[in-house]
Amino acid sequence: MLKQRLQQKLLQKLSPQQIQMIKLLEIPTMLLEQRIKKELEENPILEEVETDEPAAEPEMVLPDDNKEGNDDEFSLEDYMNDDDVPTYKLYSNNSSYDDKREEIPFSTGVSFHDYLENQLGMADLSEHEKQLGFYLIGNIDGDGYIRRKLSAIADDIAFSLGIETNEDELERILWVIQEFDPPGVGARDLQECLLIQIKAKENQNKATQNAYKILKYHFDEFIKKHYDKISARLNLSDDELKEAIDEILKLNPKPGGSFTDPYDQSAQHIIPDFILEYEDGEFRLSLNSKNVPELRISKEYSDMIENYSYNKEFSTSQEREAIAFVKQKIDSAKWFIDALKQRQNTLLTTMEAILDYQKEYFRDGDESKLKPMILKDIAERTGLDISTISRVANSKYIQTHFGIFPLKHFFSEGMQTDSGEQVSTREIKQILAECVENEDKKKPLTDEQLMEILKSKGYPIARRTVAKYREQLGIPVARLRKELN
């Protein structure tokens, strides 16, 4: 049965310009240059301004508004005003300071996998075995481990190379690879990695022998730091246990991690979005836009619009389609340039508000002076939405005279002390870290004891909050912090 009803909805839709602005606001400076290059490739209307070109262009002759035949769906004059040659620049205002900043040279060398393959080439193996060895090396990750099952690798070799092999043959070749440098490479888990290294030690004394027994037969007790159980089962004195543990702690749990791979694309190079300089008691804040080009609308297409405006009564349908295409691209170019303007203004407005809020901290970088600050505080100061502040703070960095920091570093919740003073949770975490650093490693402080220490200093927080802060700082529980002295 057909029913009819009336429903009222309130919807808010973003315009294409707003969506473009949001996307540009989210990306850091490191990716902004790539985004601009992509837009230059996709939109022929946009072009870069050469640094040696004059900033202004000759004025265009505007057509007569009363010219006959001016019955187009859009006004050509909208695309022939002074904005055709925007003077908007993406360089920071203090360009002379930008010019002084020199790039750090980058040198290349042999990659981690090339280093292993070179050793495989010198190994006493047949061509068939070397081919399998190359495939195994290709499955070693950046830490130096083979984390896949050899049976699965054998199936891949049969499918991709058409070579029949089995798990036993691959394991024999893997044993050869495990003798390569760096020691421990080619292991399938942490226990095997440490055992390879301890067996490779030249000086096999009593301490290394005990270390081997601990890793081989009592690995679970070792990683859980149940030292009493280990000493009881191996009948070791406290000194013997300590010497064996010291030998294990000298081993490298990530043999591949210590090898610098110049071709590793996963390595992230931080490029600060803001540059903050502090001289003679004055702050100078600027956007780091050194490698971002200046943009304008192409003069060639502007001339095309101008010529059409004087000869449109003679234009064909193909010409009108071309002009409609140019109009669309000019709109897109103007939206993009305007979005870049808004991005610049929003970033600077937000960072200036953060700088003003945390002025005492930015003078010397003392974290005890970092005031509690949340997104809402900056949103109220700037008049921007909280979501906008969140996008600015995400993945953005600032270079100061005391280091490079993510913007999220300056945001923290606050709590009230016994004296009624509002302090940042970052200050509490700093005190917590100092307590752990100065504790007796034979008897590490429990969360309950840390809670009592913080309370005695005037920070009334619960034990579960102490545990939360400890985990955020990457500090393990007391049992795992225990050391043998």
Side-chain angles (χ1 to χ4, degrees):
M1 186 175 178
L2 193 62
K3 292 184 179 180
Q4 197 173 33
R5 63 176 181 175
L6 184 64
Q7 188 177 10
Q8 187 176 12
K9 287 185 178 180
L10 181 63
L11 298 176
Q12 184 179 12
K13 293 185 178 180
L14 296 176
S15 66
Q17 298 96 314
Q18 290 173 317
I19 295 173
Q20 191 172 55
M21 169 59 187
I22 290 172
K23 289 182 178 179
L24 286 176
L25 195 61
E26 289 176 340
I27 61 177
T29 297
M30 185 169 56
L31 301 179
L32 181 62
E33 184 182 4
Q34 299 175 16
R35 176 65 183 88
I36 291 176
K37 286 182 179 179
K38 180 182 177 184
E39 191 71 19
L40 286 168
E41 292 172 358
E42 295 177 352
N43 192 343
I45 302 294
L46 273 178
E47 66 178 15
E48 293 185 37
V49 178
E50 299 296 332
T51 54
D52 56 348
E53 289 187 23
E57 291 286 335
E59 227 177 83
M60 292 186 192
V61 180
L62 297 179
D64 186 2
D65 290 340
N66 297 322
K67 186 175 177 68
E68 293 182 6
N70 190 16
D71 55 352
D72 294 291
E73 294 179 1
F74 59 89
S75 174
L76 292 170
E77 286 75 8
D78 293 340
Y79 302 90
M80 297 174 58
N81 53 27
D82 293 336
D83 289 337
D84 279 348
V85 191
T87 57
Y88 165 56
K89 292 188 176 183
L90 298 178
Y91 298 120
S92 59
N93 294 332
N94 55 338
S95 57
S96 60
Y97 279 87
D98 283 347
D99 295 338
K100 291 180 181 178
R101 295 190 183 99
E102 298 179 356
E103 299 292 335
I104 298 175
F106 176 75
S107 61
T108 60
V110 180
S111 71
F112 175 50
H113 288 86
D114 287 342
Y115 183 62
L116 296 176
E117 288 175 358
N118 290 340
Q119 296 178 74
L120 181 67
M122 294 183 288
D124 186 17
L125 297 172
S126 66
E127 287 301 317
H128 169 76
E129 290 172 330
K130 285 183 179 180
Q131 199 169 4
L132 297 178
F134 282 126
Y135 200 91
L136 282 172
I137 289 175
N139 281 271
I140 295 177
D141 62 17
D143 293 334
Y145 289 84
I146 287 186
R147 303 189 189 274
R148 298 185 62 206
K149 291 183 178 180
L150 294 181
S151 57
I153 295 177
D155 293 339
D156 287 350
I157 292 174
F159 180 77
S160 59
L161 302 181
I163 299 175
E164 291 294 330
T165 185
N166 54 55
E167 191 173 350
D168 293 337
E169 184 179 26
L170 289 179
E171 189 163 25
R172 287 196 299 272
I173 299 171
L174 182 61
W175 290 340
V176 176
I177 295 174
Q178 289 176 349
E179 295 177 357
F180 291 172
D181 185 64
V185 70
R188 285 160 285 188
D189 54 43
L190 177 61
Q191 184 180 16
E192 185 178 26
C193 176
L194 298 179
L195 282 170
I196 293 170
Q197 294 180 59
I198 203 72
K199 285 191 292 185
K201 279 185 170 291
E202 295 180 359
N203 299 324
Q204 292 291 330
N205 51 30
K206 185 68 173 178
T208 54
Q209 292 173 7
N210 289 332
Y212 177 83
K213 292 177 183 177
I214 292 172
L215 292 173
K216 181 71 174 177
Y217 305 109
H218 306 285
F219 186 72
D220 289 339
E221 288 83 358
F222 166 72
I223 60 176
K224 294 176 182 178
K225 293 196 174 184
H226 290 161
Y227 297 138
D228 294 339
K229 293 181 180 179
I230 295 174
S231 58
R233 292 173 183 176
L234 293 179
N235 194 24
L236 300 176
S237 65
D238 290 344
D239 290 339
E240 289 174 331
L241 178 62
K242 183 181 182 304
E243 290 173 358
I245 297 298
D246 287 343
E247 287 293 326
I248 296 174
L249 294 178
K250 293 176 185 177
L251 306 178
N252 187 358
K254 294 182 179 181
S258 59
F259 195 98
T260 303
D261 191 344
Y263 306 110
D264 185 8
Q265 299 298 321
S266 63
Q268 294 186 354
H269 303 278
I270 296 176
I271 297 178
D273 301 83
F274 303 93
I275 306 294
L276 179 64
E277 294 169 316
Y278 183 62
E279 294 180 1
D280 301 326
E282 295 292 331
F283 289 107
R284 179 163 45 201
L285 177 68
S286 62
L287 279 175
N288 183 17
S289 303
K290 178 180 177 182
N291 297 323
V292 180
E294 178 187 352
L295 302 179
R296 69 179 178 188
I297 293 176
S298 172
K299 183 72 165 59
E300 179 183 351
Y301 289 95
S302 298
D303 291 342
M304 182 189 298
I305 291 287
E306 185 175 356
N307 293 334
Y308 171 74
S309 67
Y310 288 109
N311 301 285
K312 52 189 172 182
E313 64 270 16
F314 306 107
S315 63
T316 64
S317 60
Q318 289 182 341
E319 289 174 340
R320 293 185 64 83
E321 287 178 3
I323 293 299
F325 171 79
V326 173
K327 169 191 175 294
Q328 179 187 0
K329 290 299 182 182
I330 289 178
D331 282 338
S332 177
K334 287 187 174 183
W335 289 346
F336 187 74
I337 292 174
D338 187 57
L340 288 174
K341 281 184 182 179
Q342 292 183 48
R343 178 186 185 275
Q344 183 188 46
N345 293 334
T346 303
L347 289 179
L348 281 174
T349 300
T350 304
M351 192 60 232
E352 285 170 355
I354 295 174
L355 175 60
D356 183 64
Y357 199 99
Q358 303 284 8
K359 189 171 292 185
E360 292 300 319
Y361 164 77
F362 281 109
R363 293 186 193 279
D364 52 17
D366 185 358
E367 290 215 350
S368 63
K369 298 178 181 178
L370 195 63
K371 297 192 295 184
M373 183 180 72
I374 58 176
L375 297 174
K376 184 180 178 183
D377 296 328
I378 303 303
E380 291 175 351
R381 287 195 170 212
T382 58
L384 299 171
D385 191 79
I386 292 179
S387 61
T388 302
I389 304 299
S390 176
R391 288 186 175 93
V392 172
N394 188 36
S395 302
K396 306 293 190 305
Y397 290 82
I398 182 171
Q399 177 180 308
T400 69
H401 57 284
F402 50 85
I404 297 177
F405 300 90
L407 261 60
K408 291 188 290 186
H409 175 79
F410 311 121
F411 291 88
S412 63
E413 296 179 352
M415 68 159 292
Q416 198 171 30
T417 63
D418 289 340
S419 61
E421 182 185 0
Q422 196 75 8
V423 297
S424 170
T425 55
R426 196 176 301 278
E427 181 179 340
I428 301 173
K429 290 179 183 178
Q430 185 177 1
I431 296 172
L432 181 63
E434 290 174 357
C435 290
V436 172
E437 184 179 354
N438 298 324
E439 69 185 357
D440 181 3
K441 297 304 179 183
K442 285 186 176 180
K443 297 179 180 179
L445 297 170
T446 63
D447 291 346
E448 191 79 23
Q449 292 171 323
L450 290 170
M451 179 192 71
E452 295 299 330
I453 293 173
L454 289 170
K455 280 185 178 180
S456 66
K457 293 179 179 289
Y459 303 101
I461 58 176
R463 187 197 59 79
R464 62 178 180 274
T465 308
V466 172
K468 183 180 75 170
Y469 291 167
R470 176 180 52 72
E471 290 171 0
Q472 290 175 352
L473 291 169
I475 299 174
V477 296
R479 177 173 54 81
L480 296 181
R481 301 199 306 271
K482 187 177 181 181
E483 295 179 5
L484 296 173
N485 295 325

